[in-house]
Amino acid sequence: AGASGHLKFTTLTAKAGTVALTAVGTLSAGNATATGNITLDATGNASTGAVTSSTGIVDLESSAGTLTTGAVSGVSGVLLKSSGNLSTGVLTSLNANVNAQSLTGSVAITSAKAKTALVATSKTGMKLTSYTVSGGTANLTAGTDFTSGTGTAYGNITISMDGIGSLGTQTSTTGTISATSILKGLRFTTLKAATGITLRAKANMG
């Protein structure tokens, strides 16, 4: 399926194949399901309900606006990118990466589950309630403050922020945990790592 312009729909299902939608303005989408890849691109603000690809990649982008999603699942990968604020429900990739990026705003993720890697980047604050990377690493970068409840990765966990880092509980099963606050401090509940923990902060930690 394919379309262009200002787009709004409630439910879209492709029983076989892919879905590709491009909006030169805003995109307001309900639920979308496909066996193959799902690509939704908007110039302006974009919002979706649940988006699910049973075998492929889900790629959602707002090039000049905000992006708000419900639960997003792509067996072969989840890619989310926005110019402004990015807010999501549960993100799941059973076999590959979850990537979330805001070029000028914040990132808020309810939870993320990935196989090979979790990569999240924000220009301002980042809030990640929980995440699990069953076979790889987590790399999280916030332009201002960073907040996480619980996070677990099989490999290394790397967290960097300019502002205050509230790490919560972080666990690396086989690797290291490295957390850096460039301008302020770090706080945490519990940190566990197989091969080492490194914390760096300009201000007091606690």
Side-chain angles (χ1 to χ4, degrees):
S4 62
H6 294 271
L7 298 178
K8 183 177 182 178
F9 65 85
T10 303
T11 303
L12 180 63
T13 302
K15 292 183 178 179
T18 64
V19 171
L21 301 177
T22 301
V24 296
T26 62
L27 171 65
S28 179
N31 298 337
T33 304
T35 55
N37 296 341
I38 298 176
T39 304
L40 304 179
D41 291 326
T43 302
N45 295 339
S47 62
T48 74
V51 180
T52 303
S53 170
S54 58
T55 65
I57 296 170
V58 175
D59 187 344
L60 310 179
E61 180 175 357
S62 170
S63 60
T66 62
L67 177 59
T68 304
T69 77
V72 179
S73 177
V75 169
S76 299
V78 172
L79 308 174
L80 306 179
K81 185 177 181 181
S82 66
S83 173
N85 295 340
L86 171 59
S87 179
T88 80
V90 178
L91 307 180
T92 305
S93 179
L94 293 178
N95 294 335
N97 296 358
V98 169
N99 293 69
Q101 180 182 22
S102 172
L103 297 177
T104 67
S106 62
V107 169
I109 300 172
T110 300
S111 70
K113 300 176 183 179
K115 173 69 173 181
T116 54
L118 170 63
V119 180
T121 306
S122 66
K123 181 67 173 180
T124 60
M126 181 182 298
K127 184 176 181 179
L128 179 54
T129 304
S130 66
Y131 72 86
T132 302
V133 186
S134 60
T137 62
N139 196 320
L140 312 171
T141 306
T144 56
D145 294 344
F146 172 87
T147 302
S148 176
T150 59
T152 301
Y154 179 78
N156 296 340
I157 297 174
T158 304
I159 304 172
S160 177
M161 75 293 302
D162 281 2
I164 296 170
S166 300
L167 307 181
T169 297
Q170 303 289 324
T171 303
S172 172
T173 307
T174 66
T176 64
I177 294 174
S178 175
T180 302
S181 174
I182 295 171
L183 299 177
K184 295 191 177 181
L186 299 171
R187 61 173 67 99
F188 57 88
T189 303
T190 304
L191 303 178
K192 298 179 181 179
T195 58
I197 298 171
T198 301
L199 302 178
R200 300 181 179 91
K202 186 172 183 179
N204 292 338
M205 293 186 288

